[in-house]
Amino acid sequence: MKLYNTLTRKIENFEPQDAERVKVYTCGPTVYSFAHIGNFTCYVYWDLLVRTLKQQGYNVDRILNITDVGHLTSDADDGEDKMEKGAKREGKTVWEVAEMYMNDFLKNFRALNMVEPSKICRATDYVKEDMALVDALDKKGFLYDTTDGLYYDTSKFPTYADFAHLDLEHLKAGARVEFSSEKRNVSDFAVWKWIRDGEDHAMKWEYRGRMGYPGWHIECATIIHEELGEPIDIHCGGIDHIPIHHTNEIAQLEGAYGKQMSKFWLHNNFITIEGQKISKSLGNVYMFDDLAERGYTHMDYKMWVLQGHFQSERNFSFEDLAAAKQRLLNYRNFAALRWQKDATDLSETKTAMMAQLENNLNSAGALAELDKVMSKNVPDEKFVQFLDEIFGLGITESTPDISKELKAKIAERVDAKKAKDFAKADQLRDEIAREGITLLDSADGTIWQYA
Ligand code: AMP
Ligand code: ZN
């Protein structure tokens, strides 16, 4: 398979280190508010990645983390803690807030019919292990203490700027005055935050005899080290994570333990809504409930995402969502055909679709291959199962075979037509339509479809 690797800025041939265990890590959500539809695009792309690898015969060990601690509103270690902000807004404890939004996230994740990760890891379950990573970094001389926390001296990690192609000199010149003059370099970041005298923090742990909490970039490094072991095969996240979050993950894990973090890095681009950035002030922060109110399901949305590419900036519109909904309905009707006529062997189409997906996850290309054969062929069970496995759109689950009574009625109508009793044929067609089934007459006979 070919994948665009952010590490090398090239499309490269992907081979896992061990086919029995392809190690995949995807940065997860910060659970301090409801996730909007933009937040979910990446999980659809990564689900396609997992499904493609599985289809190729690999065993995929995929970890998803849940950030339920210590993520500040700014990547730069200042600003409010996102969890505390959510708790204040809701009049709840940070733990209750985390629980509620995590459950809501997982509900949507599962409604999108994603392959269940091998493990979902909460950051708060790895704080002891974070401390071990901080100790390892300290031992190697990467850290310095400040009143705000233990900071990583990025000048001691010579390749710090490489991953994101950062221009540190330029950064320095453009830097605003940070929280404290104690910071040695503008790119230095907190691996552990102290709770200062007179301050409090809802989530806190004792470390080195003081109370504090982990910096937000450390959990992914820790969880990868504990659960998968570096180097992993593929690390995924949003493009916004390249310059700070992922750069800092690498500096911590590779600095502490000396091994490469990941062989491949995949980054998804952002979506805009009706041409605008997603923002509260524009009133376009759509959740799945908002889509449901307009008659769209999670699967309609997933269909829309799969029509595009993870590296492309995409524009979402309800017009396009309506088109995606129709396309999905066409696939369901196509899948339902497998009960009624002689099926065509579509294994060549399957091969062509896989070739598209193995070309840097070109799902739009794979769907185009499917469209080429759809109107002229009847799929067999095997092909339809493949479609469900590769896209996870649930096209078979939602199209149960029709009842024997309905089938008998369809046969009765065919006979009526043959006997030129068109009044009876039309009456039967109306009765069948009331059951939600449309009939299509063609030279080859009559085909039924879900309306
Ligand atoms: P936030 O909680 O706002 O930091 O968002 C969490 C992650 O969701 C971000 O780090 C992005 O990778 C992703 N994300 C946010 N907005 C969008 C968007 N409009 N399109 C795609 N991904 C997004
Ligand atoms: Zn991460």
Side-chain angles (χ1 to χ4, degrees):
M1 165 147 71
K2 289 195 158 47
L3 291 172
Y4 181 85
N5 187 359
T6 306
L7 195 61
T8 55
R9 303 293 197 278
K10 274 192 204 118
I11 296 215
E12 289 186 310
N13 203 32
F14 173 75
E15 293 280 353
Q17 303 162 84
D18 173 3
E20 287 305 307
R21 189 183 183 218
V22 184
K23 299 188 277 186
V24 178
Y25 184 87
T26 56
C27 286
T30 306
V31 285
Y32 70 106
S33 67
F34 290 115
H36 56 68
I37 58 170
N39 298 133
F40 279 95
T41 48
C42 61
Y43 303 108
V44 176
Y45 295 129
W46 311 147
D47 189 57
L48 180 69
L49 170 71
V50 170
R51 286 173 183 277
T52 304
L53 290 167
K54 283 165 75 92
Q55 194 67 40
Q56 291 178 303
Y58 296 126
N59 290 325
V60 182
D61 196 355
R62 184 256 180 115
I63 302 268
L64 170 73
N65 71 306
I66 303 278
T67 302
D68 57 358
V69 62
H71 184 170
L72 305 178
T73 44
S74 139
D75 257 348
D77 293 312
D78 52 5
E80 235 178 317
D81 181 293
K82 282 190 176 181
M83 301 298 303
E84 299 221 342
K85 196 175 161 191
K88 235 182 264 169
R89 188 182 62 225
E90 321 253 330
K92 292 192 166 113
T93 70
V94 279
W95 300 96
E96 285 166 344
V97 164
E99 197 69 23
M100 177 173 93
Y101 291 118
M102 180 181 76
N103 290 337
D104 185 75
F105 172 83
L106 292 175
K107 188 185 82 189
N108 284 310
F109 187 86
R110 287 173 183 141
L112 283 163
N113 194 21
M114 309 286 200
V115 174
E116 192 66 17
S118 0
K119 197 164 175 187
I120 295 173
C121 301
R122 292 180 69 153
T124 45
D125 290 332
Y126 291 84
V127 176
K128 283 255 157 339
E129 291 79 2
D130 288 338
M131 293 173 187
L133 180 50
V134 174
D135 285 341
L137 284 170
D138 208 12
K139 223 181 251 166
K140 290 203 169 176
F142 283 108
L143 306 184
Y144 58 95
D145 205 357
T146 74
T147 49
D148 184 69
L150 289 165
Y151 271 69
Y152 191 113
D153 184 342
T154 53
S155 70
K156 298 206 167 144
F157 189 66
T159 53
Y160 184 80
D162 292 0
F163 183 67
H165 296 187
L166 294 176
D167 175 358
L168 290 178
E169 282 309 308
H170 199 249
L171 259 185
K172 226 177 265 173
R176 65 196 162 88
V177 182
E178 294 287 341
F179 74 93
S180 100
S181 51
E182 295 173 81
K183 219 162 126 164
R184 292 182 192 163
N185 311 288
V186 69
S187 50
D188 291 359
F189 61 95
V191 297
W192 188 266
K193 299 268 283 183
W194 299 124
I195 295 167
R196 291 184 244 200
D197 290 344
E199 276 181 5
D200 203 9
H201 199 263
M203 284 187 178
K204 54 191 168 191
W205 289 263
E206 193 182 324
Y207 178 54
R208 300 189 183 181
R210 285 177 71 179
M211 297 311 280
Y213 56 100
W216 105 262
H217 312 294
I218 201 165
E219 66 186 73
C220 298
T222 296
I223 294 170
I224 284 177
H225 182 68
E226 294 298 322
E227 297 293 340
L228 294 169
E230 64 276 18
I232 60 168
D233 294 294
I234 308 176
H235 191 314
C236 306
I239 43 166
D240 54 319
H241 287 151
I242 299 171
I244 298 179
H245 180 57
H246 287 166
T247 289
N248 291 350
E249 279 185 22
I250 292 169
Q252 289 168 109
L253 195 60
E254 299 189 3
Y257 302 124
K259 275 204 257 171
Q260 191 184 28
M261 187 175 209
S262 182
K263 301 274 182 193
F264 273 73
W265 289 79
L266 267 53
H267 288 97
N268 66 285
N269 211 320
F270 271 46
I271 67 161
T272 51
I273 306 237
E274 315 272 4
Q276 311 259 28
K277 195 177 161 212
I278 299 180
S279 89
K280 272 210 183 99
S281 57
L282 293 170
N284 64 359
V285 185
Y286 294 119
M287 317 291 176
F288 284 107
D289 286 348
D290 300 312
L291 300 195
E293 262 173 39
R294 297 184 186 216
Y296 298 104
T297 64
H298 285 79
M299 287 301 104
D300 297 335
Y301 176 76
K302 190 174 193 181
M303 181 75 246
W304 175 79
V305 176
L306 289 173
Q307 290 176 330
H309 191 259
F310 73 96
Q311 288 181 272
S312 308
E313 200 176 75
R314 310 254 330 262
N315 182 42
F316 172 92
S317 70
F318 281 98
E319 212 180 338
D320 289 348
L321 186 60
K325 186 184 184 66
Q326 183 56 50
R327 191 172 191 179
L328 181 56
L329 184 64
N330 294 345
Y331 292 152
R332 290 192 168 134
N333 284 329
F334 175 64
L337 291 178
R338 71 193 188 279
W339 288 297
Q340 39 190 332
K341 291 186 70 192
D342 290 340
T344 322
D345 178 10
L346 293 173
S347 51
E348 265 181 38
T349 300
K350 177 181 166 178
T351 306
M353 289 174 72
M354 284 307 293
Q356 294 286 352
L357 292 172
E358 286 162 14
N359 180 17
N360 200 23
L361 298 176
N362 183 3
S363 46
L367 292 168
E369 293 292 342
L370 174 57
D371 290 347
K372 275 190 213 163
V373 297
M374 225 179 58
S375 57
K376 294 181 219 79
N377 296 279
V378 168
D380 59 10
E381 185 65 34
K382 208 171 61 192
F383 185 72
V384 170
Q385 287 305 330
F386 159 71
L387 291 182
D388 256 355
E389 277 166 26
I390 198 68
F391 295 128
L393 287 166
I395 59 172
T396 52
E397 287 151 35
S398 51
T399 55
D401 198 0
I402 53 172
S403 64
K404 279 202 188 93
E405 290 73 21
L406 265 176
K407 280 186 179 167
K409 256 188 198 172
I410 294 170
E412 208 184 319
R413 179 177 163 275
V414 171
D415 292 342
K417 271 185 68 180
K418 262 190 209 146
K420 302 215 184 307
D421 186 350
F422 297 114
K424 187 178 177 194
D426 286 351
Q427 187 202 330
L428 284 163
R429 174 195 286 269
D430 291 347
E431 279 176 33
I432 293 161
R434 259 176 260 134
E435 305 280 331
I437 301 296
T438 318
L439 299 179
L440 303 173
D441 296 316
S442 75
D444 300 335
T446 299
I447 285 174
W448 57 262
Q449 287 192 338
Y450 286 92

